Amino acid sequence: TFIALTSQYTLRQPVRIKQKVKVSVDRMVCTLSDDEGPNNDADMDRFSLTLAAANAVKEAGGVKQVPIQLPDPKLYAWATAGDVTVKVGYVWQVDRSKVITFDTDPDLYDFDKATLTVGGYGREYDTSSRNEEGRGGIVLEGSQFFENGGLHKFQITSADFIFEVYVTLTAEG
């Protein structure tokens, strides 16, 4: 959309065609650690966090979700040949963020219906049995991005562990 300004026109509201959203995960907190019995905490050897986003393109009768091509959807990846034993309350520092640009031209897009998905994966290593894998995620619409100060959380869960993942969304630019 182009706007020509002369002394005869006054803009009554700012024009915003794009909205940059910073997605940050600073930590994950262990809320369950039970590897087959008491006094046997989870031994973590893998974590990953991924992002996916979509613009909501206006169409007759609603909107169509059009994926945003992210250069690298991985927000965080960690793996080790060994493991890290975690107890309930353990804080796993992530400290990662990425900026995603959404289209917001009001004639073409509905930012309130755009979506952001944050997915999580974790693996607990077992020497004597099968490894335990856990997954979880959160899907947010644009209207929810900045609710509660942009603070959101979800869980990565398995039978042996649960981690709460703390996500913060902030408007950039």
Side-chain angles (χ1 to χ4, degrees):
T1 302
F2 295 94
I3 298 173
L5 294 178
T6 69
S7 60
Q8 299 173 4
Y9 300 99
T10 303
L11 285 176
R12 301 256 180 221
Q13 65 182 34
V15 177
R16 184 180 74 185
I17 305 300
K18 304 259 186 203
Q19 175 65 62
K20 292 182 178 183
V21 176
K22 184 177 182 181
V23 182
S24 304
V25 175
D26 63 336
R27 72 193 184 285
M28 301 183 293
V29 178
C30 181
T31 60
L32 172 73
S33 180
D34 183 8
D35 186 16
E36 285 83 42
N39 301 319
N40 192 4
D41 290 312
D43 304 310
M44 305 306 296
D45 75 340
R46 303 227 187 325
F47 279 113
S48 66
L49 298 169
T50 57
L51 302 175
N55 286 309
V57 178
K58 290 181 177 179
E59 290 186 335
V63 296
K64 174 182 168 186
Q65 295 294 320
V66 177
I68 297 172
Q69 298 302 314
L70 302 176
D72 181 8
K74 192 143 312 219
L75 178 64
Y76 178 72
W78 175 84
T80 182
D83 57 57
V84 175
T85 301
V86 297
K87 296 183 179 301
V88 170
Y90 188 95
V91 177
W92 193 281
Q93 289 302 134
V94 176
D95 296 321
R96 297 287 192 281
S97 64
K98 285 195 177 193
V99 175
I100 299 174
T101 302
F102 291 86
D103 292 309
T104 58
D105 181 334
D107 293 334
L108 303 172
Y109 300 93
D110 186 343
F111 180 69
D112 284 347
K113 293 190 173 125
T115 59
L116 171 68
T117 303
V118 184
Y121 168 81
R123 187 174 88 168
E124 192 269 335
Y125 178 73
D126 275 320
T127 56
S128 59
S129 64
R130 203 174 119 250
N131 296 330
E132 291 284 340
E133 296 182 340
R135 289 178 172 74
I138 189 169
V139 178
L140 298 165
E141 287 194 339
S143 61
Q144 300 170 308
F145 287 0
F146 308 118
E147 286 180 352
N148 191 35
L151 303 176
H152 306 277
K153 70 179 175 179
F154 68 92
Q155 293 181 334
I156 299 174
T157 64
S158 83
D160 286 1
F161 65 86
I162 297 175
F163 278 85
E164 289 190 343
V165 180
Y166 290 83
V167 179
T168 303
L169 304 181
T170 52
E172 293 283 295

